[in-house]
Amino acid sequence: MHDQLASLYPQHLATLRERADRALALGDFDHLVITAGTPLRKFLDDQDYPFVVSPHFKHWLPLTDAPGSWIVYTSGNKPRLIFLQPRDYWHVVPQAPHGYWVEHFDIVIVRNAAEAVAQLPAGQRAVIAADCPATEGVEANNPQAVLDYLHWHRSYKTPYELALMREASRIGARAHRAAEAAFRSGRSEFGIHLTYLAAARQTDAELPYSSIVGLNEHGAVLHYTNFDRVPPVHSRSFLIDAGANAAGYASDITRTYASPQAAEFQALIDSVDAAQQGFVAKVRAGQSYPELHIHAHHVLAGVLREHGFIRMSAESAVESGVSSAFFPHGLGHPIGLQVHDVAGFQQNEHGGSIARPVGHPYLRMTRVLEAGMVVTIEPGLYFIDMLLAELRDKPFASDIDWARVDSFRQYGGIRIEDDVVCTDGAPENLTRDAFAQHG
Ligand code: GLY
Ligand code: MN
Ligand code: MN
């Protein structure tokens, strides 16, 4: 892995430099200045929230724990890293830079924020930063034209980035296997969560997002993060949406399992799984993502009909909004340095926004797929009390088999989520490949 990253990194950096050259030229800037950021201080406290590095910073190098550090890039020059290593005997200070990327930077080590700021160049600067103490005395301007350009091109992953995303998927798949075993042995949600963290060898704060670990009815809460400490009497079903982090790159993986006694639910999982693999197969250059999302509604409405939940045609289930009551979120989103990566709606490298299809307010990706993009494909079917109650009052409620619907509430819901690379040919399914490696 290390050798592979070492050999891919120079090209990654060259690509970032080219993008930065063009972005800077858009606003006549001399320097791109990016802060890693600093942790937020808790109110009236002497402790901080967990540090989350700026995605712009970790795009350039695999450093996720360097609060108060800066990257400076000036067209034509080797990039500089102003690395903050405070004198501090209370905490573990960030390790001195080491590894395959170090030779590609001019590195200055500083001991405090003021020294860091003093190292920043004068001239026309595009300063990419959230407001935080590290930027004291430095005005962040976050020029829109620069951000739009960089965000647009961030959609096209370099081979180095794809290598890291494969690694994030491998870590996630390994931990998902352990979580499934914990479910099958009757552990609580909290117990499964701890099993997942241990197998991933990552802390909660290191994960790209809070894990969703739901048994039985809890699978119907899209972002369920409660972690019941006590196992239910019967663990009938299990939905886990949990990812992992590799040098700042995310995986985002969901699996749904049924107990051996829940054969009817397993049959529904199998249908959603087959549908999901069909959608993944359509992750091809030129495919409109919103059209794929609408296609998913039709296929899932067909699954609802096949399994006896609805009597209407798939077409009328989609038109009437019935499919949205069972599948109330988007098919997926771009993923990379952030689990919900930037530019999912962007029109072109100069900004703009492509609207969502009417009636689909939660879709996070409206672009046409192109080679190099990575997106999630995460269809689901859920039995959500609130949305089902709304359906009951509608004129077509008589076309729904409520007894059958009610009998599935005990399972919560199904989501199956893979991270998929769009290529010039067949899609690369990072998630399924990773599960295959973990037997
Ligand atoms: N885990 C958040 C999502 O699937 O988008
Ligand atoms: Mn997702
Ligand atoms: Mn997810």
Side-chain angles (χ1 to χ4, degrees), residues 252 333 340 376 378 417:
D252 180 6
H333 49 84
H340 296 155
T376 69
E378 49 179 306
E417 175 174 32

Side-chain angles (χ1 to χ4, degrees), residues 213-224:
V213 175
L215 294 170
N216 301 341
E217 291 84 353
H218 294 160
V221 182
L222 297 182
H223 282 172
Y224 175 85

Side-chain angles (χ1 to χ4, degrees), residues 166-181:
R166 284 184 200 106
E167 176 66 4
S169 297
R170 280 192 290 267
I171 299 167
R174 180 177 79 215
H176 268 261
R177 290 275 189 221
E180 182 195 355

Side-chain angles (χ1 to χ4, degrees), residues 217-239:
E217 291 84 353
H218 294 160
V221 182
L222 297 182
H223 282 172
Y224 175 85
T225 50
N226 268 10
F227 304 126
D228 272 1
R229 301 327 192 239
V230 178
V233 177
H234 299 293
S235 291
R236 298 177 290 270
S237 59
F238 173 42
L239 188 155

Side-chain angles (χ1 to χ4, degrees), residues 19-34:
R19 292 178 188 169
D21 289 342
R22 292 194 297 266
L24 289 172
L26 287 174
D28 279 332
F29 292 104
D30 304 318
H31 314 286
L32 180 63
V33 175
I34 303 169

Side-chain angles (χ1 to χ4, degrees), residues 85-405:
Q85 205 179 30
R87 291 190 195 285
D88 176 352
Y89 58 86
W90 291 92
H91 306 98
V92 175
V93 298
Q95 275 191 315
H98 63 280
Y100 55 81
W101 57 274
V102 172
E103 63 184 280
H104 301 282
F105 277 78
D106 282 331
I107 299 177
V108 192
I109 295 188
V110 294
R111 299 300 180 188
N112 59 50
E115 277 180 42
V117 166
Q119 288 289 333
L120 299 179
Q124 294 299 314
R125 307 185 299 203
V127 181
I128 312 297
D131 288 329
C132 64
T135 62
E136 256 169 47
V138 186
E139 202 177 328
N141 50 2
N142 297 310
Q144 198 59 47
V146 172
L147 287 181
D148 285 340
Y149 190 88
L150 295 177
H151 288 173
W152 174 263
H153 289 280
R154 217 168 95 187
S155 306
Y156 309 98
K157 271 56 180 181
T158 63
Y160 168 81
E161 295 183 284
L162 293 177
L164 286 172
M165 293 191 75
R166 284 184 200 106
E167 176 66 4
S169 297
R170 280 192 290 267
I171 299 167
R174 180 177 79 215
H176 268 261
R177 290 275 189 221
E180 182 195 355
F183 157 66
R184 301 223 180 266
S185 66
R187 304 280 304 278
S188 68
E189 292 165 349
F190 189 63
I192 297 170
H193 172 56
L194 295 181
T195 302
Y196 184 92
L197 292 176
R201 293 178 216 120
Q202 299 194 353
T203 66
D204 239 336
E206 286 166 336
L207 297 180
Y209 59 93
S210 303
S211 298
I212 295 163
V213 175
L215 294 170
N216 301 341
E217 291 84 353
H218 294 160
V221 182
L222 297 182
H223 282 172
Y224 175 85
T225 50
N226 268 10
F227 304 126
D228 272 1
R229 301 327 192 239
V230 178
V233 177
H234 299 293
S235 291
R236 298 177 290 270
S237 59
F238 173 42
L239 188 155
I240 174 167
D241 182 345
N245 173 347
Y249 286 85
S251 59
D252 180 6
I253 303 172
T254 310
R255 287 294 182 266
T256 309
Y257 304 99
S259 75
Q261 291 74 38
E264 56 179 6
F265 188 58
Q266 183 63 56
L268 189 60
I269 294 174
D270 293 344
S271 293
V272 175
D273 190 61
Q276 193 265 4
Q277 295 197 52
F279 309 148
V280 168
K282 290 182 182 294
V283 174
R284 297 215 169 223
Q287 167 72 51
S288 145
Y289 197 91
E291 281 174 18
L292 188 54
H293 168 84
I294 301 293
H295 168 71
H297 268 270
H298 283 90
V299 173
L300 292 170
V303 170
L304 287 170
R305 193 180 145 91
E306 216 177 281
H307 285 261
F309 298 107
I310 62 173
R311 291 183 277 263
M312 64 193 74
S313 69
E315 286 64 37
S316 44
V318 176
E319 272 161 34
S320 59
V322 168
S323 63
S324 294
F326 292 92
F327 174 37
H329 58 72
L331 181 63
H333 49 84
I335 181 170
L337 288 163
Q338 291 167 272
V339 63
H340 296 155
D341 216 2
V342 290
F345 304 100
Q346 209 169 313
Q347 209 148 28
N348 57 45
E349 63 187 19
H350 300 302
S353 183
I354 307 168
R356 299 177 172 104
V358 173
H360 296 271
Y362 299 112
L363 184 61
R364 290 174 178 274
M365 168 71 175
T366 51
R367 287 172 61 180
V368 171
L369 294 171
E370 292 173 67
M373 291 181 175
V374 187
V375 292
T376 69
I377 297 290
E378 49 179 306
L381 285 180
Y382 310 84
F383 301 91
I384 301 173
D385 291 341
M386 186 182 107
L387 300 181
L388 293 174
E390 288 171 12
L391 266 194
R392 268 195 194 267
D393 297 333
K394 298 270 166 64
F396 41 74
S398 58
D399 263 353
I400 294 169
D401 184 336
W402 289 104
R404 178 120 176 106
V405 166

